Amino acid sequence: MKEKLQELYSRAITDIEQVNDFNSLQNVRNTYLSKKSELNGLMSKMRDLSPDERASFGQLINKIKSELTEKIENKRKEVEEKELQEKLMKEVIDFTEPNTTFKKGSKHPFNAVVDQVCEIFIGMGYNIAEGPEVELDHFNFELLNVPKDHPARDMQDTFFIDENHLMRSQTSPVQAHVMLSKNGEGPIKIISPGKVYRRDDDATHSHQFGQIEGLVIDKNVNMGNLLSTLELFARSMFGEKREVRMRSSYFPFTEPSVEADISCFECGGKGCSLCKGTGWIEILGAGMVHPHVLEMCGFDTKEYQGFAFGIGIERVGMLKYGIDDIRRFYTNDIRFNKQFDKE
Ligand code: DAH
């Protein structure tokens, strides 16, 4: 029986050594250590032995059992480690492989213009102010010197929500919000970009568009300050050589009111199709803040004056990039939007 045991032992050792994967190891364990194993079969034959032989045989069989258990356990660790390494090797991700599906987004041309304009004015010390798009009639019109029956309301017909609430037709009400928040104490130096709404719809007008409002209130502010501010803006936005001229105009909330033109950047002022032969392009409305508006918004007109301006965002974009139709800003045609990748 001892020889049988010896033979079994060396067979088990060879089998364990040859095993290379977890499943085969499991089979080897079943063959040599399970209840139905040969080893257990031999144990049941022990009763045929003499008591002495039985004792030494029992010891031997236990020793073999624990040795095989240990060897199988060691092999298990070895095989598991090997299988893990193989799995990791197969799962290796090649970070250097070129990615063909990822597309980098770009700034929408509308936002590109807003960012450029804001950057120019922030450079001049302006802060950004915001106001609501659903506005009270009081702020959109009355505080800006446009009472209920004023004919200037016709130019800015917009979407009313009820008698007192409307989609703001201009960013100018932000002027009133900011002034009232200051309790009559200057200085104020803000710009306010945002969306506005009107009953308009053609190649150069949309029912929704963007404006950037500017407001400066301080002591000793005059038209010269307004002109030099607009010149600095025009030159930063449209090129060093731009000249600015102011034409007399009318806005209810400014007095005097002007429309500012820049010398045409296409022809340098000689006259071309862009400037319709005049050499000048209109870019914004502006003026000195009307004393009545200052008063309604809590400022003492003997102490404070101010200027304001309103810039059309899409208009600046259309001029700067030669865009022919305002609706291109809103249709989200990727081929159009992608052209402003660099802005
Ligand atoms: N709010 C005017 C408009 O939408 C534009 C404007 C003109 C704004 C003159 C101003 C200004 O601040 O001073 O037509």
Side-chain angles (χ1 to χ4, degrees):
M1 268 212 332
K2 269 197 181 152
E3 291 83 64
K4 191 109 204 264
L5 198 58
Q6 212 62 51
E7 185 269 329
L8 192 81
Y9 177 71
S10 37
R11 195 152 35 93
I13 296 293
T14 323
D15 280 357
I16 293 169
E17 269 167 14
Q18 280 172 358
V19 152
N20 236 340
D21 61 279
F22 194 74
N23 285 343
S24 319
L25 185 67
Q26 217 42 36
N27 288 338
V28 170
R29 192 200 303 272
N30 287 340
T31 311
Y32 296 103
L33 294 177
S34 71
K35 277 192 186 142
K36 288 185 187 143
S37 67
E38 282 183 65
L39 209 59
N40 263 5
L42 284 176
M43 275 173 98
S44 63
K45 292 213 175 92
M46 270 172 45
R47 68 180 100 89
D48 302 337
L49 299 172
S50 70
D52 279 357
E53 279 176 324
R54 202 184 297 161
S56 69
F57 190 79
Q59 274 174 3
L60 187 62
I61 223 167
N62 278 341
K63 191 167 159 252
I64 287 176
K65 249 189 177 175
S66 63
E67 250 178 62
L68 289 183
T69 307
E70 194 187 319
K71 282 196 172 6
I72 285 173
E73 180 57 18
N74 288 343
K75 191 70 181 181
R76 182 189 63 79
K77 286 185 189 147
E78 192 186 300
V79 165
E80 267 182 6
E81 176 64 18
K82 188 178 118 300
E83 288 189 353
L84 179 69
Q85 288 306 329
E86 279 170 5
K87 205 170 161 208
L88 287 175
M89 286 305 285
K90 269 194 226 141
E91 280 180 8
V92 154
I93 299 164
D94 182 1
F95 290 106
T96 62
E97 195 169 304
N99 187 332
T100 49
T101 52
F102 179 71
K103 289 207 173 66
K104 187 171 149 280
S106 61
K107 229 183 251 180
H108 190 279
F110 181 92
N111 292 326
V113 172
V114 171
D115 288 353
Q116 286 171 51
V117 176
C118 286
E119 230 167 82
I120 293 168
F121 282 101
I122 286 168
M124 290 191 242
Y126 284 66
N127 290 316
I128 310 273
E130 282 186 71
E133 283 175 35
V134 176
E135 189 52 282
L136 283 165
D137 185 292
H138 187 61
F139 278 88
N140 195 81
F141 291 126
E142 307 223 359
L143 285 174
L144 297 172
N145 234 1
V146 188
K148 286 262 181 325
D149 55 356
H150 199 288
R153 287 200 176 210
D154 280 355
M155 296 189 294
Q156 297 198 9
D157 198 6
T158 183
F159 306 95
F160 276 78
I161 286 146
D162 58 36
E163 223 173 292
N164 291 318
H165 294 86
L166 47 90
M167 301 306 289
R168 68 176 177 189
S169 61
Q170 48 186 350
T171 45
S172 304
V174 182
Q175 290 189 31
H177 284 291
V178 175
M179 280 191 266
L180 284 169
S181 76
K182 292 284 184 177
N183 296 319
E185 286 285 327
I188 294 173
K189 211 172 168 188
I190 58 105
I191 51 164
S192 183
K195 288 185 217 116
V196 301
Y197 303 83
R198 285 190 204 175
R199 211 191 135 282
D200 278 341
D201 194 10
D202 62 34
T204 51
H205 296 89
S206 158
H207 60 273
Q208 177 198 306
F209 59 103
Q211 284 188 336
I212 298 181
E213 193 77 15
L215 176 70
V216 172
I217 306 276
D218 207 344
K219 295 167 181 171
N220 302 318
V221 176
N222 57 45
M223 287 287 274
N225 302 137
L226 172 61
L227 180 63
S228 57
T229 303
L230 298 182
E231 269 172 359
L232 210 84
F233 163 67
R235 288 173 189 162
S236 311
M237 195 73 194
F238 294 101
E240 268 310 303
K241 299 215 175 84
R242 296 293 70 80
E243 296 294 329
V244 174
R245 78 172 182 187
M246 299 204 284
R247 280 178 294 108
S248 174
S249 183
Y250 170 75
F251 299 103
F253 38 87
T254 44
E255 181 58 37
S257 301
V258 295
E259 263 165 308
D261 301 337
I262 55 166
S263 54
C264 180
F265 45 84
E266 193 73 19
C267 62
K270 284 189 220 94
C272 67
S273 62
L274 184 67
C275 60
K276 300 194 183 84
T278 63
W280 295 95
I281 295 171
E282 185 200 319
I283 53 161
L284 52 81
M288 298 305 291
V289 180
H290 198 293
H292 190 217
V293 172
L294 277 171
E295 271 162 20
M296 283 190 286
C297 295
F299 277 82
D300 180 351
T301 51
K302 284 193 211 77
E303 228 186 320
Y304 286 103
Q305 307 81 40
F307 64 76
F309 52 88
I311 308 171
I313 294 171
E314 290 87 345
R315 176 149 179 81
V316 169
M318 288 171 87
L319 287 170
K320 184 156 182 179
Y321 303 118
I323 297 164
D324 59 344
D325 191 324
I326 196 169
R327 287 165 291 203
R328 295 201 194 286
F329 282 95
Y330 318 118
T331 42
N332 275 335
D333 183 338
I334 290 287
R335 293 165 304 175
F336 171 73
N337 292 356
K338 255 171 61 176
Q339 296 174 50
F340 304 91
D341 262 2
K342 284 165 241 56
E343 298 307 329

